[in-house]
Structures are given as C-alpha cells and as structure tokens.
Amino acid sequence: MSEQTSLALDIQNLTVEFHTMDDVVHAVNGLDLSIKKGQTLGLVGETGAGKTTTALSVLRLLAKPAGRIISGSILLDGEDILNKTEQEMGKIRGQQVSMIFQDPMTSLNPVRTVEEQIAEVIQHHKKLDKKASLAEARKMLETVGIPGERGEEYPHQFSGGMKQRVVIAMALACSPQLLIADEPTTALDVTIQAQVLEMMRGLKKQYNMSMLMITHDLGIVAETCDEVAIIYAGQVVERGTLEDIFLHTRHPYTKGLFDSLPNLEDRKARLKPIPGLMPDPAHLPEGCPFAPRCAYATEQCQKEKPCRTYRTADHYVECHLYNEQNIQEQRLVNEA
C-alpha cells in the first residue's frame, strides 16, 4: 500500500483567506496535515489559530463569498476534493466525511424530532424510504446510548450531553471513513465529557474510522489521539506522535501550552500563561508568527520564517532554535 492510499486525509500547503471590505484575513497559511487510516490526529491550538477553518475547508463549507481557498490540495482517500463539483461534495459530506460541530445546542433543528433529523441524512445517502430511514435512525440512537423510542422527542427535551450524542449519531449515520470532531465536549461538564469521549473511542473502533480531533485541551489529546499537530496562526508549528509531543516537546508555543496547565504534583505551583495574544490574522508578523510572544525570539525570528526541522521521521518543528546552523553555533559556544 502506497503512503498516499494509506492516508485518510492529506492536506498540502493549504492557504485560506477571508476577504472583507476592509482587509484580507489570512486564516490558514501553507498548512500541511495528514491522518493515517484508522488513526486519530489531534489538532491543538488557541481560539483563532485556524482549527475550525481547516475543518470547514475539508468539507468545502467556508462562508461565501468571503472565504476562499487560495492554494493547496485536500486529498480525501487519495482524491482532491478541491476539484469536485458542489453536487459531488453533497454526496461526500455525511457519507465519506462527517463533522461533529462545536455546539450541539445550535447544531439541531428545534422544530423537528431528533429521529427525523438523523433519518434525513440516511435517506439522502442510502436512498431508503422514510419508514426504513426512521428505523435506522432509532438504531443509531441506541448505538450512542439513547433509547430508540426517544427519537420522537425534540432537541429541547434532551440534556446537553444527550444532544451531543444525537449529533454524534447523525454524524455516524452513514459510517463515514473520516470523522471531524470540532471541540465536541466544550459545552459539557467533566463527567459527561468523559462519557462522550469514551463512547467516541468505542465507536471509532467499531466503525474503523479515522478522526480529526480539534481541541485546545491537551487532556483530551492524551486520552484519544495517536498523533498531534500544534497549530498557530494558521500553520502547523510542531507535529509528531503523542509520545513525541508530550515527552520531546520542541516548539516554545507547545511548551507554553503545557506550562499553562495546572501541576497536579505541586498544587501551589503558579500557572505560566503564554504572554500576549494571537497575532491579528489580517496583519501577520513578517517572520515567525510566534516571535512577539516568544521568550527565545531573536532578530532572525523577527525577520525570517523558520523552516521545518525533523527530530525523527514523524516529529518536526518549525522554529529557528532547531535549525541545524543555529544548533551548531550553540554547540560551539557551549564548547568554548
């Protein structure tokens, strides 16, 4: 099996812009991302880093006419979806790739029963009649731990956790090859969050899916992901296996994310938030986008974009600290 056909998703050099009356917003900037079949990739970053824009690009659901994919390729099971017509994308969404949106409260139609909303997806893709589609919808509800007879109820009759289960049932109704989960537990309390994540892990295994888990929570990443990509200002600044990112952290931004977490071993330890804010995507810095917030930034960081440096075949970082020339110079200083 070639590397390309072993990938469920392969994004190369993706650039996405939003054109407004005042500015051009550079939301995604030369992003590379790939997910192996059957694996889960965690896409981690702060609000505004470009996570959701990347996900919507995969589904070709960017807000029009402002949102535009400027360049790059998005291969879904080896086929570039950027060459697909809107009619072809209608067949792909829900069947080949599905998305669990961030807020279940706004993902469901309040005036239709939950079984009707799930059945609509099944009817569209599987071409079943209404009765058979509703029966399938009830089976899907039971798959996510909701009694089938509750399908006749409306979204307002469900708790937040139950609503999220309904949204997951809708996303999995046609057994997609790739599931995109955009912060699927943000609106849930900790106990329900754990239940939903456990259920998603089981369903991923049951359906043999690949998953893109979008989150800012490194705890969720540790529980669910095989590989991790750290995104900042619309580009991946560090990528590796779960072990690479957690045990061999390289990028100062990734270190900052870990330092922002409470220390369970030392309850009195103060949190170390990352100073400053994400750069304005309409006016990105000339060099490394993280340079204005980085304690290690040099003049080179302010003026030049860092190139990619590999620690292993799977683990790379885009940071001047790890460029071969800089490492060699530092080695000479230490030896002097």
Side-chain angles (χ1 to χ4, degrees):
M1 186 184 287
S2 69
E3 184 180 352
Q4 193 177 73
T5 54
S6 67
L7 297 176
L9 178 68
D10 187 18
I11 301 174
Q12 295 293 327
N13 198 32
L14 180 67
T15 301
V16 180
E17 295 176 353
F18 288 88
H19 291 244
T20 68
M21 292 180 67
D22 302 317
D23 276 308
V24 175
V25 176
H26 305 279
V28 177
N29 304 292
L31 179 134
D32 295 338
L33 202 68
S34 61
I35 306 174
K36 298 185 182 92
K37 288 185 177 178
Q39 291 205 337
T40 299
L41 173 75
L43 186 60
V44 183
E46 294 169 278
T47 299
K51 304 185 300 293
T52 300
T53 300
T54 300
L56 293 175
S57 299
V58 174
L59 290 161
R60 293 251 310 267
L61 288 176
L62 292 171
K64 294 178 180 177
R68 304 174 191 177
I69 295 175
I70 303 301
S71 64
S73 62
I74 303 174
L75 301 183
L76 199 59
D77 200 21
E79 292 189 26
D80 194 342
I81 63 152
L82 299 185
N83 297 327
K84 302 287 185 185
T85 65
E86 187 54 40
Q87 187 176 7
E88 287 171 328
M89 284 305 302
K91 294 176 182 177
I92 289 169
R93 296 185 198 112
Q95 187 164 28
Q96 203 170 337
V97 55
S98 282
M99 185 165 174
I100 301 169
F101 291 93
Q102 193 164 348
D103 186 1
M105 315 299 172
T106 57
S107 299
L108 295 168
N109 188 331
V111 297
R112 297 186 69 194
T113 65
V114 295
E115 68 180 9
E116 285 176 339
Q117 296 183 58
I118 300 169
E120 185 178 20
V121 181
I122 297 166
Q123 205 167 357
H124 176 73
H125 289 293
K126 293 188 177 179
K127 308 301 180 187
L128 300 177
D129 61 33
K130 187 174 182 181
K131 186 177 179 182
S133 297
L134 287 170
E136 284 282 318
R138 290 197 170 200
K139 284 182 188 174
M140 281 308 305
L141 285 173
E142 289 172 1
T143 301
V144 297
I146 298 175
E149 58 269 18
R150 292 203 64 185
E152 295 180 352
E153 297 178 17
Y154 291 85
H156 73 271
Q157 295 172 278
F158 291 81
S159 66
M162 285 292 198
K163 280 194 185 98
Q164 191 62 291
R165 287 171 184 261
V166 171
V167 171
I168 292 168
M170 196 181 301
L172 299 181
C174 295
S175 308
Q177 297 161 21
L178 174 66
L179 178 66
I180 300 173
D182 187 3
E183 308 216 24
T185 58
T186 298
L188 309 178
D189 64 53
V190 177
T191 308
I192 303 300
Q193 182 181 100
Q195 291 174 3
V196 169
L197 287 173
E198 181 63 36
M199 181 193 69
M200 286 179 68
R201 278 197 299 272
L203 291 170
K204 174 186 168 289
K205 193 172 180 182
Q206 179 182 335
Y207 287 95
N208 193 29
M209 291 183 298
S210 308
M211 191 187 302
L212 176 62
M213 175 66 75
I214 296 172
T215 183
H216 59 265
D217 189 330
L218 287 162
I220 289 175
V221 170
E223 286 183 46
T224 60
C225 299
D226 301 296
E227 297 192 336
V228 188
I230 307 294
I231 185 172
Y232 187 83
Q235 62 192 69
V236 173
V237 295
E238 186 169 5
R239 160 74 191 255
T241 64
L242 192 65
E243 183 178 329
D244 290 332
I245 300 301
F246 277 71
L247 300 182
H248 304 284
T249 311
R250 285 291 184 266
H251 201 282
Y253 177 60
T254 313
K255 289 179 181 176
L257 292 176
F258 280 110
D259 288 343
S260 302
L261 297 173
N263 188 336
L264 297 179
E265 294 177 3
D266 182 4
R267 299 292 180 121
K268 294 180 181 178
R270 295 178 67 87
L271 295 179
K272 298 175 187 174
I274 302 170
L277 298 170
M278 185 84 65
D280 179 357
H283 304 95
L284 291 173
E286 182 184 351
C288 172
F290 188 61
R293 305 172 71 183
C294 182
Y296 308 97
T298 64
E299 190 176 342
Q300 182 185 21
C301 300
Q302 307 288 350
K303 295 180 178 179
E304 295 177 30
K305 290 191 180 296
C307 58
R308 189 170 295 176
T309 306
Y310 285 81
R311 187 185 74 87
T312 67
D314 295 319
H315 186 195
Y316 69 75
V317 63
E318 294 189 358
C319 176
H320 286 303
L321 288 174
Y322 300 95
N323 289 353
E324 290 301 323
Q325 184 181 344
N326 291 343
I327 291 171
Q328 185 64 28
E329 288 173 358
Q330 187 62 48
R331 191 178 291 129
L332 292 171
V333 168
N334 294 338
E335 289 173 357

